[in-house]
Amino acid sequence: MEKSCNTLINTSKTPKKAGRKPKHSPAEIEILKAEFLEYIETNEFPKINEFAYMKRINRQLLYENKELRELTELANLKKTAAYEKGMIDGSLQTAGCIFALKQHGWKDRQEVETVIIDKKKAKKELEKLFE
């Protein structure tokens, strides 16, 4: 007795794409992009989480989409510039600005210069000075 082999063949003309369908269409992304840019321009301290909450979207969308990610970087630049300006002109508390800037990746660095003194050479130079 022969065994029959049933194979499934996709007979549809358009091949199915792997993965999930995007949740937002390109048109929706363009609208969101324009709204995000307007939000950045109208707020002195643009907050990415606040914008995502206002639009009822997952903030990951703002980081995952290339065009929107560029706008999140622009928002962060504007915010850090506002903190710097507020710290310099005294309109904001310095400690709060420093904390906020550190949250954006800034670091305190101290440079320490190490000098090795050659005692014999130093002694000769001092003797020359006092001759």
PDB file of all heavy atoms in Angstrom, residues 67-102:
ATOM      1  N   GLU A  67      12.371  58.269  11.818  1.00  0.00           N
ATOM      2  CA  GLU A  67      12.023  59.695  11.732  1.00  0.00           C
ATOM      3  C   GLU A  67      11.636  60.265  13.094  1.00  0.00           C
ATOM      4  O   GLU A  67      12.008  61.381  13.438  1.00  0.00           O
ATOM      5  CB  GLU A  67      10.893  59.897  10.732  1.00  0.00           C
ATOM      6  CG  GLU A  67      11.285  59.539   9.308  1.00  0.00           C
ATOM      7  CD  GLU A  67      10.098  59.520   8.373  1.00  0.00           C
ATOM      8  OE1 GLU A  67       8.946  59.562   8.852  1.00  0.00           O
ATOM      9  OE2 GLU A  67      10.321  59.465   7.157  1.00  0.00           O
ATOM     10  N   LEU A  68      10.900  59.485  13.853  1.00  0.00           N
ATOM     11  CA  LEU A  68      10.486  59.947  15.179  1.00  0.00           C
ATOM     12  C   LEU A  68      11.657  59.939  16.156  1.00  0.00           C
ATOM     13  O   LEU A  68      11.729  60.780  17.046  1.00  0.00           O
ATOM     14  CB  LEU A  68       9.334  59.089  15.699  1.00  0.00           C
ATOM     15  CG  LEU A  68       8.032  59.200  14.901  1.00  0.00           C
ATOM     16  CD1 LEU A  68       7.016  58.185  15.392  1.00  0.00           C
ATOM     17  CD2 LEU A  68       7.461  60.594  14.970  1.00  0.00           C
ATOM     18  N   ARG A  69      12.600  59.002  15.981  1.00  0.00           N
ATOM     19  CA  ARG A  69      13.786  58.955  16.842  1.00  0.00           C
ATOM     20  C   ARG A  69      14.620  60.223  16.675  1.00  0.00           C
ATOM     21  O   ARG A  69      15.165  60.761  17.630  1.00  0.00           O
ATOM     22  CB  ARG A  69      14.636  57.725  16.526  1.00  0.00           C
ATOM     23  CG  ARG A  69      15.800  57.570  17.489  1.00  0.00           C
ATOM     24  CD  ARG A  69      16.668  56.335  17.256  1.00  0.00           C
ATOM     25  NE  ARG A  69      16.047  55.250  16.550  1.00  0.00           N
ATOM     26  CZ  ARG A  69      16.394  54.856  15.318  1.00  0.00           C
ATOM     27  NH1 ARG A  69      17.359  55.460  14.669  1.00  0.00           N
ATOM     28  NH2 ARG A  69      15.787  53.849  14.745  1.00  0.00           N
ATOM     29  N   GLU A  70      14.711  60.713  15.446  1.00  0.00           N
ATOM     30  CA  GLU A  70      15.431  61.968  15.205  1.00  0.00           C
ATOM     31  C   GLU A  70      14.773  63.123  15.968  1.00  0.00           C
ATOM     32  O   GLU A  70      15.462  63.995  16.494  1.00  0.00           O
ATOM     33  CB  GLU A  70      15.478  62.274  13.709  1.00  0.00           C
ATOM     34  CG  GLU A  70      16.365  61.313  12.935  1.00  0.00           C
ATOM     35  CD  GLU A  70      16.274  61.491  11.430  1.00  0.00           C
ATOM     36  OE1 GLU A  70      15.512  62.376  10.966  1.00  0.00           O
ATOM     37  OE2 GLU A  70      16.961  60.752  10.717  1.00  0.00           O
ATOM     38  N   LEU A  71      13.460  63.102  16.045  1.00  0.00           N
ATOM     39  CA  LEU A  71      12.755  64.147  16.793  1.00  0.00           C
ATOM     40  C   LEU A  71      12.945  63.995  18.299  1.00  0.00           C
ATOM     41  O   LEU A  71      13.017  64.991  19.016  1.00  0.00           O
ATOM     42  CB  LEU A  71      11.262  64.148  16.434  1.00  0.00           C
ATOM     43  CG  LEU A  71      10.941  64.642  15.021  1.00  0.00           C
ATOM     44  CD1 LEU A  71       9.450  64.508  14.747  1.00  0.00           C
ATOM     45  CD2 LEU A  71      11.393  66.070  14.820  1.00  0.00           C
ATOM     46  N   THR A  72      13.059  62.755  18.793  1.00  0.00           N
ATOM     47  CA  THR A  72      13.328  62.574  20.232  1.00  0.00           C
ATOM     48  C   THR A  72      14.715  63.114  20.571  1.00  0.00           C
ATOM     49  O   THR A  72      14.901  63.709  21.633  1.00  0.00           O
ATOM     50  CB  THR A  72      13.230  61.096  20.666  1.00  0.00           C
ATOM     51  OG1 THR A  72      14.179  60.325  19.949  1.00  0.00           O
ATOM     52  CG2 THR A  72      11.838  60.545  20.478  1.00  0.00           C
ATOM     53  N   GLU A  73      15.669  62.930  19.664  1.00  0.00           N
ATOM     54  CA  GLU A  73      17.005  63.486  19.882  1.00  0.00           C
ATOM     55  C   GLU A  73      16.962  65.011  19.868  1.00  0.00           C
ATOM     56  O   GLU A  73      17.623  65.669  20.668  1.00  0.00           O
ATOM     57  CB  GLU A  73      17.974  62.951  18.834  1.00  0.00           C
ATOM     58  CG  GLU A  73      18.262  61.465  18.994  1.00  0.00           C
ATOM     59  CD  GLU A  73      19.023  60.861  17.833  1.00  0.00           C
ATOM     60  OE1 GLU A  73      19.453  61.611  16.928  1.00  0.00           O
ATOM     61  OE2 GLU A  73      19.195  59.630  17.833  1.00  0.00           O
ATOM     62  N   LEU A  74      16.155  65.576  18.973  1.00  0.00           N
ATOM     63  CA  LEU A  74      15.984  67.028  18.920  1.00  0.00           C
ATOM     64  C   LEU A  74      15.352  67.540  20.217  1.00  0.00           C
ATOM     65  O   LEU A  74      15.779  68.558  20.773  1.00  0.00           O
ATOM     66  CB  LEU A  74      15.114  67.413  17.718  1.00  0.00           C
ATOM     67  CG  LEU A  74      14.842  68.894  17.529  1.00  0.00           C
ATOM     68  CD1 LEU A  74      16.131  69.623  17.151  1.00  0.00           C
ATOM     69  CD2 LEU A  74      13.785  69.098  16.455  1.00  0.00           C
ATOM     70  N   ALA A  75      14.368  66.815  20.727  1.00  0.00           N
ATOM     71  CA  ALA A  75      13.723  67.201  21.986  1.00  0.00           C
ATOM     72  C   ALA A  75      14.721  67.169  23.135  1.00  0.00           C
ATOM     73  O   ALA A  75      14.748  68.077  23.976  1.00  0.00           O
ATOM     74  CB  ALA A  75      12.537  66.277  22.278  1.00  0.00           C
ATOM     75  N   ASN A  76      15.554  66.137  23.181  1.00  0.00           N
ATOM     76  CA  ASN A  76      16.562  66.043  24.233  1.00  0.00           C
ATOM     77  C   ASN A  76      17.599  67.154  24.125  1.00  0.00           C
ATOM     78  O   ASN A  76      18.036  67.698  25.137  1.00  0.00           O
ATOM     79  CB  ASN A  76      17.237  64.673  24.218  1.00  0.00           C
ATOM     80  CG  ASN A  76      16.350  63.599  24.804  1.00  0.00           C
ATOM     81  OD1 ASN A  76      15.555  63.868  25.705  1.00  0.00           O
ATOM     82  ND2 ASN A  76      16.470  62.398  24.306  1.00  0.00           N
ATOM     83  N   LEU A  77      17.987  67.507  22.909  1.00  0.00           N
ATOM     84  CA  LEU A  77      18.932  68.612  22.723  1.00  0.00           C
ATOM     85  C   LEU A  77      18.339  69.929  23.224  1.00  0.00           C
ATOM     86  O   LEU A  77      19.004  70.711  23.898  1.00  0.00           O
ATOM     87  CB  LEU A  77      19.310  68.748  21.246  1.00  0.00           C
ATOM     88  CG  LEU A  77      20.322  67.765  20.705  1.00  0.00           C
ATOM     89  CD1 LEU A  77      20.487  67.939  19.201  1.00  0.00           C
ATOM     90  CD2 LEU A  77      21.662  67.962  21.384  1.00  0.00           C
ATOM     91  N   LYS A  78      17.075  70.168  22.889  1.00  0.00           N
ATOM     92  CA  LYS A  78      16.431  71.403  23.326  1.00  0.00           C
ATOM     93  C   LYS A  78      16.326  71.440  24.845  1.00  0.00           C
ATOM     94  O   LYS A  78      16.564  72.472  25.481  1.00  0.00           O
ATOM     95  CB  LYS A  78      15.047  71.538  22.698  1.00  0.00           C
ATOM     96  CG  LYS A  78      14.374  72.839  23.067  1.00  0.00           C
ATOM     97  CD  LYS A  78      13.078  73.058  22.352  1.00  0.00           C
ATOM     98  CE  LYS A  78      12.504  74.410  22.760  1.00  0.00           C
ATOM     99  NZ  LYS A  78      11.238  74.673  22.099  1.00  0.00           N
ATOM    100  N   LYS A  79      15.987  70.305  25.437  1.00  0.00           N
ATOM    101  CA  LYS A  79      15.841  70.247  26.888  1.00  0.00           C
ATOM    102  C   LYS A  79      17.176  70.484  27.590  1.00  0.00           C
ATOM    103  O   LYS A  79      17.245  71.261  28.545  1.00  0.00           O
ATOM    104  CB  LYS A  79      15.260  68.889  27.293  1.00  0.00           C
ATOM    105  CG  LYS A  79      14.799  68.851  28.723  1.00  0.00           C
ATOM    106  CD  LYS A  79      14.233  67.521  29.185  1.00  0.00           C
ATOM    107  CE  LYS A  79      13.695  66.616  28.158  1.00  0.00           C
ATOM    108  NZ  LYS A  79      13.165  65.360  28.701  1.00  0.00           N
ATOM    109  N   THR A  80      18.247  69.838  27.132  1.00  0.00           N
ATOM    110  CA  THR A  80      19.551  70.036  27.767  1.00  0.00           C
ATOM    111  C   THR A  80      20.043  71.464  27.576  1.00  0.00           C
ATOM    112  O   THR A  80      20.643  72.040  28.486  1.00  0.00           O
ATOM    113  CB  THR A  80      20.604  69.033  27.248  1.00  0.00           C
ATOM    114  OG1 THR A  80      20.697  69.140  25.833  1.00  0.00           O
ATOM    115  CG2 THR A  80      20.279  67.626  27.657  1.00  0.00           C
ATOM    116  N   ALA A  81      19.766  72.058  26.427  1.00  0.00           N
ATOM    117  CA  ALA A  81      20.145  73.457  26.200  1.00  0.00           C
ATOM    118  C   ALA A  81      19.391  74.376  27.166  1.00  0.00           C
ATOM    119  O   ALA A  81      19.959  75.344  27.696  1.00  0.00           O
ATOM    120  CB  ALA A  81      19.866  73.856  24.757  1.00  0.00           C
ATOM    121  N   ALA A  82      18.127  74.071  27.419  1.00  0.00           N
ATOM    122  CA  ALA A  82      17.336  74.881  28.354  1.00  0.00           C
ATOM    123  C   ALA A  82      17.877  74.741  29.780  1.00  0.00           C
ATOM    124  O   ALA A  82      17.919  75.723  30.532  1.00  0.00           O
ATOM    125  CB  ALA A  82      15.869  74.472  28.289  1.00  0.00           C
ATOM    126  N   TYR A  83      18.291  73.535  30.155  1.00  0.00           N
ATOM    127  CA  TYR A  83      18.892  73.348  31.484  1.00  0.00           C
ATOM    128  C   TYR A  83      20.197  74.127  31.607  1.00  0.00           C
ATOM    129  O   TYR A  83      20.451  74.768  32.620  1.00  0.00           O
ATOM    130  CB  TYR A  83      19.152  71.867  31.775  1.00  0.00           C
ATOM    131  CG  TYR A  83      17.912  71.080  32.118  1.00  0.00           C
ATOM    132  CD1 TYR A  83      17.622  69.890  31.475  1.00  0.00           C
ATOM    133  CD2 TYR A  83      17.029  71.526  33.100  1.00  0.00           C
ATOM    134  CE1 TYR A  83      16.492  69.158  31.786  1.00  0.00           C
ATOM    135  CE2 TYR A  83      15.900  70.800  33.420  1.00  0.00           C
ATOM    136  CZ  TYR A  83      15.632  69.619  32.756  1.00  0.00           C
ATOM    137  OH  TYR A  83      14.516  68.910  33.067  1.00  0.00           O
ATOM    138  N   GLU A  84      21.028  74.065  30.563  1.00  0.00           N
ATOM    139  CA  GLU A  84      22.285  74.812  30.589  1.00  0.00           C
ATOM    140  C   GLU A  84      22.022  76.310  30.741  1.00  0.00           C
ATOM    141  O   GLU A  84      22.646  76.983  31.566  1.00  0.00           O
ATOM    142  CB  GLU A  84      23.066  74.579  29.295  1.00  0.00           C
ATOM    143  CG  GLU A  84      23.728  73.242  29.173  1.00  0.00           C
ATOM    144  CD  GLU A  84      24.444  73.107  27.846  1.00  0.00           C
ATOM    145  OE1 GLU A  84      25.316  73.942  27.543  1.00  0.00           O
ATOM    146  OE2 GLU A  84      24.130  72.163  27.099  1.00  0.00           O
ATOM    147  N   LYS A  85      21.119  76.807  29.917  1.00  0.00           N
ATOM    148  CA  LYS A  85      20.804  78.242  29.939  1.00  0.00           C
ATOM    149  C   LYS A  85      20.248  78.650  31.300  1.00  0.00           C
ATOM    150  O   LYS A  85      20.633  79.673  31.867  1.00  0.00           O
ATOM    151  CB  LYS A  85      19.794  78.564  28.836  1.00  0.00           C
ATOM    152  CG  LYS A  85      19.437  80.022  28.757  1.00  0.00           C
ATOM    153  CD  LYS A  85      18.422  80.271  27.665  1.00  0.00           C
ATOM    154  CE  LYS A  85      18.004  81.725  27.684  1.00  0.00           C
ATOM    155  NZ  LYS A  85      16.855  81.962  26.816  1.00  0.00           N
ATOM    156  N   GLY A  86      19.341  77.867  31.845  1.00  0.00           N
ATOM    157  CA  GLY A  86      18.757  78.163  33.152  1.00  0.00           C
ATOM    158  C   GLY A  86      19.778  78.139  34.269  1.00  0.00           C
ATOM    159  O   GLY A  86      19.695  78.914  35.224  1.00  0.00           O
ATOM    160  N   MET A  87      20.757  77.258  34.149  1.00  0.00           N
ATOM    161  CA  MET A  87      21.800  77.178  35.161  1.00  0.00           C
ATOM    162  C   MET A  87      22.722  78.393  35.065  1.00  0.00           C
ATOM    163  O   MET A  87      23.121  78.960  36.071  1.00  0.00           O
ATOM    164  CB  MET A  87      22.598  75.876  34.968  1.00  0.00           C
ATOM    165  CG  MET A  87      23.535  75.550  36.086  1.00  0.00           C
ATOM    166  SD  MET A  87      24.222  73.874  36.001  1.00  0.00           S
ATOM    167  CE  MET A  87      24.684  73.662  34.308  1.00  0.00           C
ATOM    168  N   ILE A  88      23.024  78.818  33.845  1.00  0.00           N
ATOM    169  CA  ILE A  88      23.937  79.939  33.647  1.00  0.00           C
ATOM    170  C   ILE A  88      23.292  81.266  34.037  1.00  0.00           C
ATOM    171  O   ILE A  88      23.908  82.076  34.732  1.00  0.00           O
ATOM    172  CB  ILE A  88      24.427  79.979  32.182  1.00  0.00           C
ATOM    173  CG1 ILE A  88      25.344  78.784  31.923  1.00  0.00           C
ATOM    174  CG2 ILE A  88      25.160  81.282  31.882  1.00  0.00           C
ATOM    175  CD1 ILE A  88      25.683  78.565  30.463  1.00  0.00           C
ATOM    176  N   ASP A  89      22.057  81.495  33.611  1.00  0.00           N
ATOM    177  CA  ASP A  89      21.435  82.790  33.929  1.00  0.00           C
ATOM    178  C   ASP A  89      20.769  82.829  35.302  1.00  0.00           C
ATOM    179  O   ASP A  89      20.266  83.866  35.716  1.00  0.00           O
ATOM    180  CB  ASP A  89      20.465  83.223  32.827  1.00  0.00           C
ATOM    181  CG  ASP A  89      19.231  82.346  32.710  1.00  0.00           C
ATOM    182  OD1 ASP A  89      18.950  81.549  33.621  1.00  0.00           O
ATOM    183  OD2 ASP A  89      18.532  82.460  31.680  1.00  0.00           O
ATOM    184  N   GLY A  90      20.765  81.700  36.006  1.00  0.00           N
ATOM    185  CA  GLY A  90      20.263  81.676  37.373  1.00  0.00           C
ATOM    186  C   GLY A  90      18.756  81.521  37.503  1.00  0.00           C
ATOM    187  O   GLY A  90      18.220  81.602  38.602  1.00  0.00           O
ATOM    188  N   SER A  91      18.062  81.293  36.409  1.00  0.00           N
ATOM    189  CA  SER A  91      16.611  81.144  36.482  1.00  0.00           C
ATOM    190  C   SER A  91      16.191  79.764  37.011  1.00  0.00           C
ATOM    191  O   SER A  91      15.048  79.583  37.419  1.00  0.00           O
ATOM    192  CB  SER A  91      15.976  81.403  35.113  1.00  0.00           C
ATOM    193  OG  SER A  91      16.427  80.452  34.169  1.00  0.00           O
ATOM    194  N   LEU A  92      17.104  78.798  36.989  1.00  0.00           N
ATOM    195  CA  LEU A  92      16.831  77.459  37.513  1.00  0.00           C
ATOM    196  C   LEU A  92      17.867  77.117  38.582  1.00  0.00           C
ATOM    197  O   LEU A  92      18.978  77.639  38.572  1.00  0.00           O
ATOM    198  CB  LEU A  92      16.911  76.418  36.388  1.00  0.00           C
ATOM    199  CG  LEU A  92      15.898  76.542  35.257  1.00  0.00           C
ATOM    200  CD1 LEU A  92      16.210  75.545  34.155  1.00  0.00           C
ATOM    201  CD2 LEU A  92      14.483  76.324  35.759  1.00  0.00           C
ATOM    202  N   GLN A  93      17.479  76.220  39.477  1.00  0.00           N
ATOM    203  CA  GLN A  93      18.415  75.802  40.515  1.00  0.00           C
ATOM    204  C   GLN A  93      19.541  74.979  39.904  1.00  0.00           C
ATOM    205  O   GLN A  93      19.303  74.053  39.127  1.00  0.00           O
ATOM    206  CB  GLN A  93      17.703  74.974  41.578  1.00  0.00           C
ATOM    207  CG  GLN A  93      16.730  75.748  42.405  1.00  0.00           C
ATOM    208  CD  GLN A  93      16.092  74.890  43.484  1.00  0.00           C
ATOM    209  OE1 GLN A  93      16.358  73.698  43.584  1.00  0.00           O
ATOM    210  NE2 GLN A  93      15.250  75.503  44.282  1.00  0.00           N
ATOM    211  N   THR A  94      20.761  75.334  40.283  1.00  0.00           N
ATOM    212  CA  THR A  94      21.932  74.674  39.716  1.00  0.00           C
ATOM    213  C   THR A  94      21.947  73.185  40.005  1.00  0.00           C
ATOM    214  O   THR A  94      22.208  72.376  39.116  1.00  0.00           O
ATOM    215  CB  THR A  94      23.222  75.326  40.254  1.00  0.00           C
ATOM    216  OG1 THR A  94      23.155  76.725  39.984  1.00  0.00           O
ATOM    217  CG2 THR A  94      24.446  74.753  39.603  1.00  0.00           C
ATOM    218  N   ALA A  95      21.657  72.806  41.246  1.00  0.00           N
ATOM    219  CA  ALA A  95      21.695  71.382  41.616  1.00  0.00           C
ATOM    220  C   ALA A  95      20.686  70.579  40.803  1.00  0.00           C
ATOM    221  O   ALA A  95      20.985  69.459  40.346  1.00  0.00           O
ATOM    222  CB  ALA A  95      21.431  71.218  43.104  1.00  0.00           C
ATOM    223  N   GLY A  96      19.506  71.130  40.616  1.00  0.00           N
ATOM    224  CA  GLY A  96      18.488  70.441  39.827  1.00  0.00           C
ATOM    225  C   GLY A  96      18.899  70.294  38.371  1.00  0.00           C
ATOM    226  O   GLY A  96      18.668  69.256  37.747  1.00  0.00           O
ATOM    227  N   CYS A  97      19.522  71.336  37.832  1.00  0.00           N
ATOM    228  CA  CYS A  97      19.991  71.276  36.442  1.00  0.00           C
ATOM    229  C   CYS A  97      21.092  70.241  36.284  1.00  0.00           C
ATOM    230  O   CYS A  97      21.101  69.484  35.313  1.00  0.00           O
ATOM    231  CB  CYS A  97      20.501  72.644  35.993  1.00  0.00           C
ATOM    232  SG  CYS A  97      19.203  73.863  35.799  1.00  0.00           S
ATOM    233  N   ILE A  98      22.008  70.219  37.232  1.00  0.00           N
ATOM    234  CA  ILE A  98      23.103  69.242  37.166  1.00  0.00           C
ATOM    235  C   ILE A  98      22.535  67.832  37.221  1.00  0.00           C
ATOM    236  O   ILE A  98      22.937  66.953  36.449  1.00  0.00           O
ATOM    237  CB  ILE A  98      24.129  69.482  38.290  1.00  0.00           C
ATOM    238  CG1 ILE A  98      24.883  70.784  38.023  1.00  0.00           C
ATOM    239  CG2 ILE A  98      25.095  68.309  38.425  1.00  0.00           C
ATOM    240  CD1 ILE A  98      25.770  71.242  39.160  1.00  0.00           C
ATOM    241  N   PHE A  99      21.566  67.586  38.109  1.00  0.00           N
ATOM    242  CA  PHE A  99      20.933  66.269  38.203  1.00  0.00           C
ATOM    243  C   PHE A  99      20.266  65.902  36.878  1.00  0.00           C
ATOM    244  O   PHE A  99      20.432  64.789  36.368  1.00  0.00           O
ATOM    245  CB  PHE A  99      19.903  66.247  39.333  1.00  0.00           C
ATOM    246  CG  PHE A  99      19.177  64.949  39.439  1.00  0.00           C
ATOM    247  CD1 PHE A  99      19.765  63.841  40.027  1.00  0.00           C
ATOM    248  CD2 PHE A  99      17.891  64.824  38.936  1.00  0.00           C
ATOM    249  CE1 PHE A  99      19.098  62.633  40.105  1.00  0.00           C
ATOM    250  CE2 PHE A  99      17.209  63.620  39.008  1.00  0.00           C
ATOM    251  CZ  PHE A  99      17.817  62.524  39.600  1.00  0.00           C
ATOM    252  N   ALA A 100      19.515  66.848  36.319  1.00  0.00           N
ATOM    253  CA  ALA A 100      18.806  66.579  35.062  1.00  0.00           C
ATOM    254  C   ALA A 100      19.792  66.309  33.926  1.00  0.00           C
ATOM    255  O   ALA A 100      19.579  65.406  33.110  1.00  0.00           O
ATOM    256  CB  ALA A 100      17.905  67.754  34.710  1.00  0.00           C
ATOM    257  N   LEU A 101      20.872  67.076  33.873  1.00  0.00           N
ATOM    258  CA  LEU A 101      21.855  66.870  32.813  1.00  0.00           C
ATOM    259  C   LEU A 101      22.560  65.522  32.961  1.00  0.00           C
ATOM    260  O   LEU A 101      22.870  64.872  31.963  1.00  0.00           O
ATOM    261  CB  LEU A 101      22.869  68.015  32.805  1.00  0.00           C
ATOM    262  CG  LEU A 101      22.295  69.354  32.318  1.00  0.00           C
ATOM    263  CD1 LEU A 101      23.291  70.473  32.583  1.00  0.00           C
ATOM    264  CD2 LEU A 101      21.919  69.291  30.857  1.00  0.00           C
ATOM    265  N   LYS A 102      22.789  65.105  34.201  1.00  0.00           N
ATOM    266  CA  LYS A 102      23.397  63.788  34.410  1.00  0.00           C
ATOM    267  C   LYS A 102      22.452  62.682  33.945  1.00  0.00           C
ATOM    268  O   LYS A 102      22.902  61.636  33.484  1.00  0.00           O
ATOM    269  CB  LYS A 102      23.781  63.591  35.874  1.00  0.00           C
ATOM    270  CG  LYS A 102      25.030  64.351  36.259  1.00  0.00           C
ATOM    271  CD  LYS A 102      25.399  64.083  37.699  1.00  0.00           C
ATOM    272  CE  LYS A 102      26.670  64.809  38.071  1.00  0.00           C
ATOM    273  NZ  LYS A 102      27.051  64.557  39.466  1.00  0.00           N
TER     274      LYS A 102
END
